[in-house]
Every structure is written in C-alpha cells, then in structure tokens.
Coordinates of all heavy atoms in Angstrom, one line a residue:
K6 N -3.9 0.2 2.7 CA -4.3 1.4 2.0 C -3.9 2.6 2.7 O -3.8 2.5 4.0 CB -5.9 1.3 1.9 CG -6.5 0.2 1.1 CD -8.0 0.2 1.0 CE -8.5 -1.0 0.3 NZ -10.0 -1.0 0.1
N7 N -3.7 3.7 2.1 CA -3.2 4.9 2.7 C -3.9 6.1 2.1 O -3.3 6.8 1.3 CB -1.7 5.0 2.5 CG -1.0 6.1 3.4 OD1 -1.7 6.9 3.9 ND2 0.3 5.9 3.7
P8 N -5.1 6.3 2.5 CA -5.9 7.4 2.0 C -5.3 8.8 2.3 O -5.5 9.8 1.6 CB -7.3 7.3 2.6 CG -7.1 6.4 3.8 CD -5.9 5.5 3.4
D9 N -4.6 8.9 3.5 CA -4.0 10.1 3.8 C -2.9 10.5 2.8 O -2.7 11.7 2.4 CB -3.4 10.1 5.2 CG -4.5 10.1 6.3 OD1 -5.6 10.5 6.0 OD2 -4.2 9.7 7.5
L10 N -2.1 9.5 2.4 CA -1.1 9.7 1.4 C -1.7 10.1 0.1 O -1.2 11.0 -0.6 CB -0.1 8.5 1.3 CG 0.9 8.6 0.2 CD1 1.9 9.8 0.5 CD2 1.7 7.3 0.1
A11 N -2.8 9.5 -0.3 CA -3.5 9.9 -1.5 C -3.9 11.3 -1.5 O -3.8 12.0 -2.5 CB -4.7 8.9 -1.8
K12 N -4.4 11.8 -0.3 CA -4.8 13.2 -0.2 C -3.6 14.1 -0.4 O -3.7 15.1 -1.1 CB -5.3 13.4 1.2 CG -5.7 14.8 1.6 CD -6.3 15.0 2.9 CE -5.2 14.8 4.0 NZ -5.8 15.1 5.4
T13 N -2.4 13.8 0.2 CA -1.2 14.6 0.1 C -0.7 14.7 -1.4 O -0.5 15.7 -1.9 CB -0.1 14.1 1.0 OG1 -0.6 14.0 2.3 CG2 1.1 15.0 0.9
L14 N -0.7 13.5 -2.0 CA -0.3 13.4 -3.4 C -1.2 14.2 -4.3 O -0.8 14.9 -5.3 CB -0.2 12.0 -3.9 CG 0.9 11.1 -3.2 CD1 0.8 9.7 -3.7 CD2 2.3 11.7 -3.5
T15 N -2.6 14.2 -4.0 CA -3.5 14.9 -4.8 C -3.2 16.4 -4.7 O -3.4 17.2 -5.6 CB -4.9 14.6 -4.4 OG1 -5.1 13.2 -4.6 CG2 -6.0 15.4 -5.2
M16 N -2.9 16.9 -3.5 CA -2.6 18.3 -3.2 C -1.4 18.7 -4.0 O -1.4 19.8 -4.6 CB -2.4 18.5 -1.7 CG -3.6 18.3 -0.9 SD -3.3 18.3 0.9 CE -2.9 20.1 1.1
I17 N -0.4 17.9 -4.1 CA 0.9 18.2 -4.8 C 0.5 18.2 -6.3 O 0.9 19.0 -7.1 CB 1.9 17.2 -4.5 CG1 2.4 17.3 -3.0 CG2 3.2 17.4 -5.4 CD1 3.3 16.2 -2.5
R18 N -0.3 17.2 -6.7 CA -0.7 17.1 -8.1 C -1.4 18.4 -8.6 O -1.1 19.0 -9.7 CB -1.6 15.9 -8.4 CG -2.1 15.8 -9.8 CD -3.3 14.8 -9.8 NE -4.4 15.5 -9.2 CZ -5.6 14.8 -9.0 NH1 -5.7 13.6 -9.3 NH2 -6.6 15.4 -8.4
D19 N -2.3 18.9 -7.7 CA -3.1 20.0 -8.1 C -2.4 21.4 -7.9 O -2.7 22.3 -8.7 CB -4.4 20.0 -7.3 CG -5.3 18.8 -7.6 OD1 -5.0 18.2 -8.7 OD2 -6.2 18.5 -6.8
N20 N -1.5 21.5 -7.0 CA -0.9 22.9 -6.6 C 0.6 22.8 -6.6 O 1.2 23.9 -6.2 CB -1.4 23.2 -5.2 CG -3.0 23.4 -5.3 OD1 -3.5 24.3 -5.9 ND2 -3.7 22.5 -4.5
G21 N 1.3 21.8 -7.0 CA 2.7 21.8 -7.1 C 3.5 21.8 -5.8 O 2.9 21.4 -4.7
A22 N 4.7 22.2 -5.8 CA 5.6 22.1 -4.7 C 5.1 22.9 -3.5 O 5.3 22.5 -2.3 CB 7.0 22.6 -5.0
D23 N 4.4 24.1 -3.7 CA 3.9 24.9 -2.6 C 2.9 24.1 -1.7 O 2.8 24.4 -0.5 CB 3.3 26.2 -3.2 CG 4.3 27.2 -3.6 OD1 5.5 27.0 -3.3 OD2 3.8 28.2 -4.2
A24 N 2.2 23.1 -2.3 CA 1.3 22.4 -1.5 C 2.0 21.6 -0.4 O 1.4 21.2 0.6 CB 0.5 21.4 -2.4
F25 N 3.3 21.3 -0.6 CA 4.0 20.5 0.3 C 4.9 21.4 1.3 O 5.0 21.2 2.5 CB 5.0 19.6 -0.4 CG 5.7 18.6 0.4 CD1 5.1 17.5 0.9 CD2 7.0 18.8 0.7 CE1 5.8 16.5 1.7 CE2 7.8 17.9 1.5 CZ 7.1 16.8 2.0
Y26 N 5.5 22.4 0.7 CA 6.5 23.2 1.4 C 5.9 24.4 2.1 O 6.6 25.1 2.9 CB 7.6 23.7 0.5 CG 8.5 22.5 0.0 CD1 8.3 21.8 -1.1 CD2 9.6 22.1 0.8 CE1 9.0 20.8 -1.5 CE2 10.4 21.0 0.5 CZ 10.1 20.4 -0.7 OH 10.9 19.3 -1.1
K27 N 4.7 24.7 1.8 CA 3.9 25.8 2.5 C 2.5 25.3 2.8 O 2.1 24.3 2.4 CB 3.8 27.0 1.5 CG 5.2 27.6 1.1 CD 5.0 28.7 0.1 CE 6.4 29.2 -0.4 NZ 6.3 30.3 -1.4
G28 N 1.9 26.0 3.7 CA 0.5 25.7 4.0 C 0.3 24.6 5.0 O 1.2 24.3 5.8
E29 N -0.8 23.9 4.9 CA -1.2 22.9 5.9 C -0.3 21.7 6.0 O -0.1 21.2 7.1 CB -2.7 22.5 5.7 CG -2.9 21.7 4.4 CD -4.4 21.3 4.3 OE1 -5.2 22.1 3.8 OE2 -4.7 20.1 4.6
V30 N 0.2 21.2 4.9 CA 1.2 20.1 5.0 C 2.4 20.5 5.7 O 2.9 19.7 6.6 CB 1.4 19.5 3.6 CG1 2.4 18.3 3.7 CG2 0.1 19.1 2.9
A31 N 3.0 21.6 5.3 CA 4.2 22.1 6.0 C 3.9 22.3 7.5 O 4.8 22.0 8.3 CB 4.6 23.4 5.3
E32 N 2.8 22.9 7.8 CA 2.4 23.1 9.3 C 2.4 21.8 10.0 O 2.8 21.7 11.2 CB 1.1 23.9 9.4 CG 1.2 25.3 8.9 CD -0.1 26.0 8.8 OE1 -1.2 25.3 9.0 OE2 -0.2 27.2 8.5
A33 N 1.8 20.8 9.4 CA 1.7 19.5 10.0 C 3.1 18.8 10.2 O 3.3 18.2 11.3 CB 0.8 18.5 9.2
M34 N 4.0 19.0 9.2 CA 5.4 18.5 9.4 C 6.1 19.2 10.5 O 6.7 18.5 11.3 CB 6.2 18.7 8.1 CG 5.9 17.8 7.0 SD 7.1 17.9 5.6 CE 6.4 19.2 4.6
V35 N 6.1 20.5 10.6 CA 6.7 21.2 11.7 C 6.2 20.9 13.0 O 6.9 20.6 14.0 CB 6.5 22.7 11.4 CG1 7.0 23.5 12.6 CG2 7.4 23.2 10.2
K36 N 4.8 20.7 13.1 CA 4.2 20.4 14.4 C 4.7 19.0 14.8 O 5.1 18.8 16.0 CB 2.7 20.4 14.2 CG 1.9 20.0 15.5 CD 0.4 20.2 15.2 CE -0.5 20.0 16.5 NZ -0.4 18.5 16.9
A37 N 4.7 18.0 13.9 CA 5.0 16.6 14.3 C 6.5 16.6 14.7 O 6.9 15.9 15.7 CB 4.8 15.7 13.1
V38 N 7.4 17.3 13.9 CA 8.8 17.3 14.3 C 9.1 17.9 15.6 O 9.8 17.4 16.5 CB 9.6 17.9 13.1 CG1 11.1 18.1 13.5 CG2 9.5 17.0 11.9
Q39 N 8.5 19.1 15.8 CA 8.8 19.9 17.0 C 8.2 19.2 18.2 O 8.9 19.2 19.3 CB 8.3 21.3 16.9 CG 9.0 22.1 15.9 CD 8.7 23.6 15.9 OE1 7.8 24.1 16.7 NE2 9.3 24.4 15.0
E40 N 7.0 18.6 18.1 CA 6.5 17.8 19.2 C 7.3 16.6 19.6 O 7.3 16.2 20.8 CB 5.1 17.4 18.9 CG 4.0 18.5 18.9 CD 2.6 18.0 18.6 OE1 2.5 16.9 18.2 OE2 1.7 18.8 18.8
S41 N 8.2 16.2 18.7 CA 9.1 15.1 19.0 C 10.5 15.6 19.3 O 11.5 14.8 19.2 CB 9.1 14.1 17.8 OG 9.9 13.0 18.1
G42 N 10.7 16.8 19.6 CA 12.0 17.4 20.0 C 12.9 17.9 18.9 O 14.0 18.3 19.2
G43 N 12.3 18.0 17.7 CA 13.1 18.6 16.6 C 13.0 20.1 16.5 O 12.3 20.7 17.2
I44 N 13.7 20.6 15.5 CA 13.8 22.1 15.3 C 13.3 22.6 14.0 O 13.6 23.7 13.6 CB 15.2 22.6 15.7 CG1 16.2 22.0 14.7 CG2 15.5 22.3 17.1 CD1 17.6 22.6 14.8
L45 N 12.8 21.7 13.1 CA 12.3 22.1 11.8 C 11.3 23.3 11.9 O 10.4 23.3 12.8 CB 11.6 20.9 11.2 CG 11.2 21.1 9.7 CD1 12.4 21.1 8.8 CD2 10.3 19.9 9.2
T46 N 11.4 24.2 11.0 CA 10.5 25.4 11.0 C 9.9 25.6 9.6 O 10.3 25.0 8.6 CB 11.3 26.7 11.3 OG1 12.2 27.0 10.2 CG2 12.0 26.6 12.6

C-alpha cells in the first residue's frame, strides 16, 4: 500500500499540474534531490 502516493495523486486530481510543479510537492522534490547532492531547483 502507498498512501503517500494516493495523497500526491489526489492533489494532482484536484489542482492539476501546479500541484506537482509548484508548492509543497515541488519543495519536497527539490529538498530530497539537493540533500542527495543534486541541483534541481
């Protein structure tokens, strides 16, 4: 089971692409990538 993924998909369902490319999901992506040595912004 992956309730975290269900949460993310629900956010995209309700708010479209901005729910993924902006806001808290985007911030979490950038944080995870940069903490692992990446340069995503």
Side-chain angles (χ1 to χ4, degrees):
K6 296 181 181 180
N7 194 338
D9 287 343
L10 178 59
K12 177 179 72 175
T13 303
L14 293 175
T15 300
M16 294 169 69
I17 296 169
R18 179 197 67 187
D19 294 344
N20 298 295
D23 281 353
F25 186 80
Y26 291 94
K27 301 176 182 178
E29 63 181 83
V30 178
E32 290 170 355
M34 281 192 275
V35 169
K36 181 175 184 288
V38 170
Q39 291 190 0
E40 286 181 349
S41 186
I44 59 173
L45 186 71
T46 67

